[in-house]
Amino acid sequence: MATNLSIDPELIERALEVSGEKTKKAAVTRALQEFIARRRQKRLIELMGKLEWDPEFDYKAERKRD
């Protein structure tokens, strides 16, 4: 999907510099991926202390393959 964006040139240059990406597209794509990952992590952190865990659950047994 082609998209035209007006992005601050200084931000793009800094993103290219810190990301090590060779193109603006790659830098923007990487920035969006990292943004999404951080937001997902934030949502998981917000769940801490809100979930009830079953102390009898044996996670090691769940990993065993038949």
Side-chain angles (χ1 to χ4, degrees):
M1 162 176 50
T3 303
N4 292 323
L5 299 172
S6 177
I7 300 174
D8 182 338
E10 284 185 35
L11 286 177
I12 286 288
E13 290 305 317
R14 288 172 51 196
L16 284 165
E17 189 178 305
V18 300
S19 70
E21 297 293 346
K22 292 181 177 25
T23 66
K24 293 175 184 177
K25 178 182 177 181
V28 170
T29 298
R30 186 172 191 175
L32 288 170
Q33 290 168 338
E34 290 181 13
F35 173 81
I36 292 165
R38 279 195 308 275
R39 290 296 170 114
R40 285 183 175 162
Q41 289 171 351
K42 183 180 176 186
R43 279 188 270 163
L44 287 175
I45 289 170
E46 289 171 354
L47 288 175
M48 302 251 327
K50 294 181 181 179
L51 301 176
E52 294 182 28
W53 300 102
D54 181 359
E56 302 298 318
F57 178 71
D58 183 1
Y59 70 93
K60 289 183 180 179
E62 294 293 321
R63 285 198 248 165
K64 292 181 183 174
R65 296 180 185 224
D66 295 322

